[in-house]
Amino acid sequence: MDSPVGSKKKSAIIDIVGLRKTFNVLRGFFSGESIKINALTGVNLSVYKNETLGLVGESGCGKSTLGRLIMHLDEPTEGRILFHGQDIFTYDRQALSKKIQLIFQDPQASLNPRKTAGNIIGEPLLIQKVAPTAEIRERVAEIMETVGLSRDQMHRYPHEFSGGQRQRIGIARAISLKPEIIIADEPVSALDVSIQAQILNLLKQLQQSFGLTYIFITHDLGVVRHMSDRIAVMYLGRIVELAENKDLYDHALHPYTQALLSAVPSPYPGRGRKKRSLLKGDVTDSSGHLTGCSFYHRCTERMDRCEKSVPELVEKYEGHFVACHLVSDV
Ligand code: SF4
């Protein structure tokens, strides 16, 4: 039976239950034939207040689709997302955007080039009418200073800022309504490495100052390790492993997680190097009718039963969940 996956001792701010999302995609322009792509195939997950939950996996694993559904930017095919116990899809979208905000990957593309930084940051305040118009300018100036920009930069346009500063504008806009949750979708992957650490540290400071909960979506295992309290590893629309940060990095149980981690370069080359288990092939097309484990075709540990039976996500150790016959059978 579907139920949210997480600790029974903590109270969740978000509960995701049996979430599925299928897209119909046109296969041939002339034939008009369409195929079904299973972006999410039954996700169960809880998110706790003030934590950073990392969602990690290769491109196409469903992590961004999950983020979009939590923002109610799309409708699920099946399943529910509860926010403080209320179904997110019954919320008015505008009311929900006060509570849950998004930080985009590409600050260049996500900011309107015809609006000044002040207008971009102040727009949600105006739309939601959370402050009298006369006060908004001062509120915007304060928010800009909070994210490390100067109030004098309020009248500049996005192209007059550096990449890191543009991401600070995106972050300022996201926190302007004092949301409870921020979904950060690859927030530093478009930035120079030298700037990434500054933005990540800013996000950590803001979390402490405002009691934010982050859902942090990334393909970068170094970034997710730096940021996350817990990490969910996704593969082809499923969570295959979920654990506390340290448990996942020290004792990964799923062959996919182990392969991902073994591909991360060691900071101490030649010292205590773990056996490398490089991933072969790509994430296969999920449009096929998968009858067994979705990782079957790439798994070096596969067994006969893996082809026929889908492994359930089970709690192997306290707070450490894994979906693999190899582990759950032991
Ligand atoms: Fe590999 Fe089987 Fe585990 Fe899937 S269930 S990850 S195929 S061992």
Side-chain angles (χ1 to χ4, degrees):
M1 208 176 97
D2 286 323
S3 61
V5 171
S7 167
K8 293 177 186 71
K9 295 177 192 158
K10 298 182 189 170
S11 66
I13 188 166
I14 283 198
D15 281 318
I16 299 171
V17 189
L19 199 67
R20 295 175 191 274
K21 179 66 186 174
T22 303
F23 294 104
N24 284 320
V25 179
L26 205 59
R27 183 176 229 164
F29 182 75
F30 293 107
S31 69
E33 204 186 320
S34 68
I35 55 169
K36 283 192 188 324
I37 300 287
N38 298 313
L40 295 175
T41 54
V43 170
N44 298 302
L45 181 66
S46 292
V47 183
Y48 308 119
K49 193 166 171 51
N50 297 144
E51 77 165 342
T52 298
L53 176 75
L55 290 179
V56 70
E58 293 167 284
S59 176
C61 69
K63 53 192 190 303
S64 292
T65 302
L66 183 55
R68 285 180 59 79
L69 289 173
I70 295 171
M71 285 287 298
H72 195 180
L73 297 174
D74 209 343
E75 302 283 334
T77 308
E78 212 179 299
R80 295 195 303 159
I81 301 176
L82 305 174
F83 175 54
H84 290 300
Q86 184 183 335
D87 195 329
I88 262 178
F89 304 105
T90 64
Y91 265 84
D92 170 66
R93 280 209 172 111
Q94 195 164 319
L96 190 67
S97 72
K98 263 188 185 174
K99 308 280 184 192
I100 307 177
Q101 277 287 322
L102 189 62
I103 297 172
F104 295 93
Q105 174 179 1
D106 185 352
Q108 174 85 25
S110 63
L111 303 180
N112 187 335
R114 294 188 197 85
K115 289 189 174 170
T116 62
N119 284 338
I120 290 168
I121 297 165
E123 191 174 54
L125 299 170
L126 273 174
I127 291 171
Q128 299 274 3
K129 299 187 178 71
V130 295
T133 310
E135 275 180 28
I136 285 182
R137 189 186 152 86
E138 185 53 29
R139 289 274 293 267
V140 168
E142 285 169 10
I143 296 165
M144 289 183 77
E145 287 172 350
T146 303
V147 300
L149 295 167
S150 153
R151 60 173 64 210
D152 300 340
Q153 295 172 311
M154 196 184 291
H155 303 292
R156 292 197 194 163
Y157 289 87
H159 73 271
E160 297 177 86
F161 291 89
S162 67
Q165 287 175 324
R166 278 195 289 269
Q167 192 56 299
R168 286 176 194 266
I169 296 172
I171 293 168
R173 183 181 163 101
I175 63 166
S176 65
L177 291 170
K178 300 185 181 155
E180 289 182 52
I181 299 174
I182 286 186
I183 299 172
D185 191 354
E186 302 274 12
V188 295
S189 60
L191 302 176
D192 286 349
V193 175
S194 58
I195 307 297
Q196 288 186 1
Q198 294 173 18
I199 296 297
L200 294 175
N201 289 337
L202 171 65
L203 289 171
K204 283 196 160 193
Q205 282 167 21
L206 294 173
Q207 183 174 38
Q208 282 194 344
S209 304
F210 298 108
L212 292 165
T213 302
Y214 288 143
I215 298 173
F216 200 93
I217 300 170
T218 182
H219 67 281
D220 187 323
L221 288 152
V223 167
V224 83
R225 182 176 203 173
H226 179 67
M227 289 301 290
S228 306
D229 300 303
R230 288 188 307 145
I231 298 166
V233 181
M234 294 190 68
Y235 190 80
L236 279 181
R238 285 180 206 280
I239 293 173
V240 295
E241 189 158 3
L242 169 69
E244 298 279 337
N245 183 324
K246 191 167 176 1
D247 289 343
L248 192 94
Y249 279 86
D250 290 352
H251 308 289
L253 298 174
H254 196 282
Y256 178 59
T257 313
Q258 290 168 351
L260 284 179
L261 293 178
S262 74
V264 178
S266 165
Y268 309 107
R271 245 204 294 160
R273 177 182 283 280
K274 289 181 186 166
K275 187 181 88 173
R276 278 173 82 80
S277 121
L278 292 179
L279 275 171
K280 293 194 176 65
D282 287 323
V283 175
T284 48
D285 184 355
S286 62
S287 60
H289 297 287
L290 294 168
T291 53
C293 172
S294 55
F295 190 56
Y296 178 80
H297 294 289
R298 299 171 81 188
C299 183
T300 52
E301 315 277 344
R302 66 189 175 210
M303 306 170 286
D304 287 348
R305 67 177 292 208
C306 305
E307 194 179 9
K308 299 271 163 26
S309 140
V310 179
E312 294 280 324
L313 190 65
V314 294
E315 189 168 19
K316 183 69 184 169
Y317 304 108
E318 191 180 346
H320 194 152
F321 297 80
V322 63
C324 172
H325 294 309
L326 197 68
V327 179
S328 53
D329 284 358
V330 179

